[in-house]
Amino acid sequence: MATPRVIVLRAPGTNCDEETAEAWRLAGARSETWHVGRLLEEPHALDLFQILTIPGGFSYGDDLGAGRIMATRLARGLGDALRRFHDRGGLLMGICNGFQVLARCGLLPGDEDDGPATLAANDSGRFEARWVTLLPRPGVSPFVGFDEPLDLPVAHGEGRFLTADPKGMEALDQAGRIVLKYADADFRPTQDYPANPNGSHLAAAGVCDPTGRVFGLMPHPERFVSPLHHPRWTRLGEALGSEGHGLKIFRGAVEALN
């Protein structure tokens, strides 16, 4: 099988692009990091890739709101290229700030019937940087093809996923499109802080579009690709396994293309 090619799109203020590119490499893909300005000049270059990733950070300093400027640039300059990419089966993932970008340029939730969505300020009113437990819901998205709970770190100030119509969240959940949920110590979805660090309704930590190929999540899978990345690795030892939990997400996408 041909090795999938991944483009990791960075912008001024992005700070997780190299880690994300390395995670894709460890998962068996061939990754390249491109500045958004370069892709805006060469939109047809997107045709050379099978996976597009928008990593975390603070694109354009989040000066007009988290991810808003980059979302505007993508929607205006790459709208046709992104639609073509999606229609031919390309996979698109947004991590943290990248999730905010996907929501604000309308790629998530991804269906006209869904209505608009956004990532609002955390209920705590502050930036949250901590480790969380997540419950996966496999079946819709190739990024989430596993059913074991996983630990991942979060680091965001605007991570509370909201739909304009409150009923939209229930519809997403019924369709299996809330594919990652914040969990408590008993591995149950929770609204309780700090296990749910931002107050997202229905414990939503990651959602996908109707095809499952567009996926956004607030936790950072690229920050846990080795057991040594876990803060309790010396105590947990072999219980962590041979690789970090976040690598499952990257591997799932690569395997879906092979």
Side-chain angles (χ1 to χ4, degrees), residues 6 21 35 63 92 103 111 129-131 151 162 186 235 244:
V6 181
H35 190 282
D63 288 339
L92 202 165
D111 188 279
R130 63 180 71 250
W131 282 71
D151 294 341
L162 296 173
D186 295 318
R235 295 184 180 183

Side-chain angles (χ1 to χ4, degrees), residues 164-250:
D165 181 354
K167 295 181 180 178
M169 290 292 290
E170 281 74 14
L172 290 176
D173 198 27
Q174 291 172 8
R177 291 169 54 195
I178 302 179
V179 292
L180 288 176
K181 291 190 175 186
Y182 298 110
D184 62 19
D186 295 318
F187 303 110
R188 297 175 300 191
T190 184
Q191 293 297 122
D192 295 340
Y193 178 87
N196 182 332
N198 48 53
S200 281
H201 184 47
L202 297 179
V207 302
C208 67
D209 77 337
T211 70
R213 298 197 307 272
V214 182
F215 170 53
L217 72 165
M218 288 310 298
H220 285 267
E222 80 286 357
R223 296 185 182 180
F224 186 23
V225 296
S226 165
L228 301 181
H229 293 159
H230 196 284
R232 299 182 63 208
W233 71 271
T234 55
R235 295 184 180 183
L236 296 175
E238 295 182 359
L240 286 173
S242 60
E243 59 187 32
H245 294 180
L247 207 52
K248 295 178 183 180
I249 291 172
F250 296 95

Side-chain angles (χ1 to χ4, degrees), residues 20 114 171 226:
T20 303
D114 293 329
S226 165

